[in-house]
């Protein structure tokens, strides 16, 4: 049976998260029918898994303007733009109402298992670009379906693939067998069962970003609560401690993001967390009493911990796109044209240049990775970036290249010069800071003796200019 002409087909959007439902809204605004395929039971299924975490962006920054226009006739009222939603708020008060407006254009419990050109594997050139996309879907009841599409927008995110504890990107030796005491999410300490797991226990937190800051702050709050006596965190960093370790602080143009770092610093300063620096996890061993011992590449063995929280980032699932011709950066697994703008080995100050359909394009015309997935392994994605991405992509699919190329995006700076990749460099040298905040300087924290690894505290990074 021949596939229908592409102009008669919908655009398949993979994922009903924040960027996925925004993509559908923009496609409708362009007069194009979207079909959103969501593996979860509801819109924002991944967001709901961190429903207890408060965003550091305000409501005004996480509601897409075109989606808001689609919601307006329903009587939907936008929350106070200056307030900060939790993940649960975002899902319940915005994402699900938007998905409800989209109606049967959203299919739940529908997992995309493969995308290709109809009748063409990735080898075949002949007549390739004239063929529609074939999207294979598996439903939770076991039913399978092939959906044809004129274009595919993959907004499936990276939530399902957290990075491991191992410093080489592979699971540490013993990490899988220690799974009963390891989590890769910020614990919800308001849940009684979860709270009991960490109360009075010694917990290692591996990571150096906003999620790690949040976990440290939560554990510090638990330690100071009426029932939290004996709760202690051990913060594991692969780098040294410098003035930028805790983010931009008051220099961060997203104040709540800066506050996260300050809360993590307070946890260390107040003795609720000990910082272990320059520690690259090689193995996780089980002690005789069942607790876990972290072993570093340099041979260091840390005192046993009861629990480990691994917050080392996420990575995209590219397996179901294997029959498509993608052009991805070899480091970040992000589109090649976008990668230099977000690469933590190069990128400074948290500034991202405006980008749209051209930076997100691939040799396989008509397929786009957007949202968090477009950033690959880079950690700096913001919702407003994804909204502008899908506006541009929808316009390009509609053939309005003038609008698609008119990309406007102004993102708040972090107040930090130098990315994670730079700070990880073992031989990094101090720079002059360029046009941003001063180059990171070593700081001394008010921790107990021996909490910091003095042999690694001279790691610093060169700053560079915001526009470099």
């Amino acid at each position: 049976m021949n596939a229908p002409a592409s102009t008669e087909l919908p655009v398949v959007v993979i994922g009903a998260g924040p960027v996925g439902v925004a993509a559908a809204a923009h496609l409708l605004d362009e007069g194009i029918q979207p079909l959103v395929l969501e593996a979860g039971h509801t819109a924002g299924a991944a967001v709901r898994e961190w429903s207890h975490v408060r965003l550091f962006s305000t409501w005004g920054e996480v509601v897409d303007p075109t989606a808001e226009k689609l919601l307006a006739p329903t009587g939907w009222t936008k929350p106070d733009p200056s307030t900060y939603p939790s993940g649960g708020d975002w899902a319940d008060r915005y994402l699900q109402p938007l998905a409800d407006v989209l109606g049967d254009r959203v299919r739940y419990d529908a997992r995309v298992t493969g995308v290709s050109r109809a009748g063409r594997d990735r080898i075949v050139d002949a007549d390739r670009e004239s063929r529609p996309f074939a999207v294979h879907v598996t439903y939770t009841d076991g039913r399978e379906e092939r959906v044809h599409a004129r274009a595919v927008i993959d907004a499936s995110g990276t939530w399902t693939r957290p990075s491991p504890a191992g410093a080489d990107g592979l699971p540490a030796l013993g990490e899988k067998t220690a799974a009963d005491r390891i989590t890769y999410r910020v614990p919800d300490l308001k849940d009684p069962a979860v709270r009991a797991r960490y109360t009075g226990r010694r917990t290692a937190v591996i990571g150096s970003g906003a999620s790690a800051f949040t976990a440290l702050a939560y554990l510090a709050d638990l330690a100071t609560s009426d029932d939290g006596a004996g709760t202690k965190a051990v913060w594991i960093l692969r780098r040294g401690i410098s003035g930028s370790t805790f983010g931009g602080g008051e220099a961060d143009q997203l104040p709540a993001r800066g506050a996260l770092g300050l809360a993590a610093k307070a946890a260390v300063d107040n003795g609720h967390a000990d910082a272990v620096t320059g520690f690259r996890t090689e193995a996780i061993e089980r002690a005789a009493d069942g607790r876990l011992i972290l072993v570093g590449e340099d041979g260091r063995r840390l005192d046993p911990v009861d629990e480990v929280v691994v917050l080392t980032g996420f990575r995209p699932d590219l397996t179901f796109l294997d029959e498509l011709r993608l052009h991805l950066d070899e480091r970040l697994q992000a589109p090649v044209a976008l990668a230099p703008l977000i690469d933590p080995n190069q990128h400074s100050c948290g500034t991202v240049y405006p980008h749209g359909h051209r930076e997100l394009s691939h040799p396989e015309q008509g397929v786009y990775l957007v949202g968090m997935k477009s950033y690959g392994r880079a950690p700096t994605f913001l919702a407003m970036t994804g909204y502008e991405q899908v506006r541009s992509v929808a316009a390009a699919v509609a053939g309005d290249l003038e609008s698609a190329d008119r990309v406007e995006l102004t993102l708040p700076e972090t107040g930090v010069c130098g990315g994670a990749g730079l700070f990880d460099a073992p031989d990094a040298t101090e720079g002059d800071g360029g046009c941003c905040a001063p180059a990171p300087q070593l700081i001394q924290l008010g921790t107990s003796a021996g909490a910091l690894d003095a042999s690694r505290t001279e790691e610093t990074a060169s700053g560079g200019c915001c526009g470099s």
Side-chain angles (χ1 to χ4, degrees):
M1 180 177 177
N2 292 329
S6 291
T7 54
E8 302 172 5
L9 297 173
V11 172
V12 163
V13 178
I14 305 174
V19 177
V21 289
H26 282 280
L27 289 166
L28 280 176
D29 196 53
E30 295 286 354
I32 299 171
Q33 286 300 315
L35 175 59
V36 183
L37 300 173
E38 167 57 49
H41 302 307
T42 63
V47 173
R48 293 178 188 279
E49 292 193 28
W50 48 269
S51 61
H52 57 292
V53 177
R54 192 160 300 281
L55 280 71
F56 50 68
S57 296
T58 64
W59 272 113
E61 295 160 333
V62 298
V63 172
D64 177 81
T66 296
E68 185 176 355
K69 183 172 67 174
L70 189 63
L71 280 164
T74 70
W76 180 81
T77 301
K78 183 178 181 177
D80 182 347
S82 65
T83 60
Y84 296 88
S86 66
D89 294 334
W90 201 18
D92 290 337
R93 301 177 64 185
Y94 168 62
L95 300 179
Q96 192 62 57
L98 179 55
D100 291 343
V101 171
L102 294 169
D104 60 8
R105 300 181 183 92
V106 181
R107 296 183 190 173
Y108 301 107
D109 300 315
R111 182 174 299 280
V112 173
T113 57
V115 183
S116 185
R117 290 284 187 176
R120 304 288 186 271
D121 63 21
R122 70 183 293 164
I123 298 175
V124 179
D125 291 334
D127 196 31
R128 186 177 190 86
E129 291 185 3
S130 66
R131 306 292 295 177
F133 290 97
V135 181
H136 285 218
V137 188
T138 299
Y139 296 90
T140 53
D141 61 5
R143 180 169 53 94
E144 294 182 313
E145 182 182 15
R146 178 185 291 109
V147 176
H148 288 120
R150 62 187 288 187
V152 175
I153 299 175
D154 184 357
S156 60
T158 58
W159 179 253
T160 61
R161 298 199 66 194
S163 295
D168 52 12
L170 302 174
L173 300 178
E175 183 171 346
K176 293 180 180 179
T177 58
D180 61 317
R181 290 178 179 260
I182 300 177
T183 184
Y184 299 85
R185 307 287 189 257
V186 176
D188 181 3
L189 298 183
K190 293 181 180 178
D191 181 316
V194 176
R195 188 179 184 88
R197 177 173 174 175
Y198 295 93
T199 299
R201 305 292 180 84
R202 180 177 166 87
T203 299
V205 177
I206 305 176
S208 58
S211 293
F213 294 164
T214 302
L216 289 168
Y218 283 3
L219 290 168
D221 285 344
L222 176 58
T224 57
S225 66
D226 293 340
D227 62 344
T231 303
K232 184 77 173 185
V234 182
W235 187 19
I236 312 299
L237 297 98
R238 294 172 182 169
R239 64 186 71 165
I241 296 287
S242 74
S244 60
T245 296
F246 300 97
E250 295 180 358
D252 195 320
Q253 291 181 4
L254 286 178
R257 181 171 59 187
L260 283 176
L262 295 177
K265 185 177 186 300
V268 177
D269 285 345
N270 295 331
H272 302 305
D274 291 334
V276 180
T277 63
F279 190 92
R280 297 172 180 269
T281 306
E282 182 177 78
I284 299 177
E285 299 178 356
R286 183 88 63 168
D289 60 2
R291 294 193 295 167
L292 302 181
I293 299 172
L294 274 60
V295 182
E297 290 181 346
D298 56 5
R300 279 184 292 170
R301 300 171 62 86
L302 303 185
D303 291 338
V305 295
D306 299 284
E307 301 286 342
V308 178
V309 179
V310 180
L311 300 169
T312 53
F314 295 86
R315 53 188 61 178
D317 180 3
L318 302 169
T319 56
F320 62 87
L321 304 177
D322 195 48
E323 290 303 321
L324 297 176
R325 298 174 177 181
L326 303 181
H327 196 193
L328 299 174
D329 178 75
E330 67 274 12
R331 295 181 297 274
L332 297 186
Q333 297 177 298
V336 166
L338 175 61
L341 307 182
I342 59 175
D343 188 349
N345 290 292
Q346 304 174 18
H347 191 57
S348 286
C349 303
T351 304
V352 177
Y353 290 109
H355 61 277
H357 75 107
R358 295 195 184 278
E359 291 80 7
L360 299 170
S361 296
H362 296 276
E364 195 78 72
Q365 295 184 21
V367 61
Y368 303 92
L369 277 59
V370 300
M372 189 69 187
K373 191 163 187 175
S374 72
Y375 271 44
R377 299 191 183 201
T380 52
F381 177 78
L382 294 174
M384 62 185 83
T385 306
Y387 296 158
E388 183 62 6
Q389 286 179 343
V390 295
R391 185 207 61 78
S392 173
V393 166
V397 172
D400 186 357
L401 293 184
E402 180 180 355
S403 176
D405 287 338
R406 192 175 61 250
V407 182
E408 298 177 358
L409 180 67
T410 302
L411 293 178
E413 295 181 8
T414 64
V416 177
C417 287
L422 290 173
F423 290 128
D424 273 349
D427 57 350
T429 56
E430 184 178 331
D432 61 7
C435 64
C436 310
Q441 300 293 321
L442 183 69
I443 59 173
Q444 181 63 46
L445 299 176
T447 58
S448 58
L452 299 183
D453 175 17
S455 67
R456 299 297 183 107
T457 54
E458 294 183 359
E459 292 185 13
T460 56
S462 56
C465 279
C466 295
S468 61

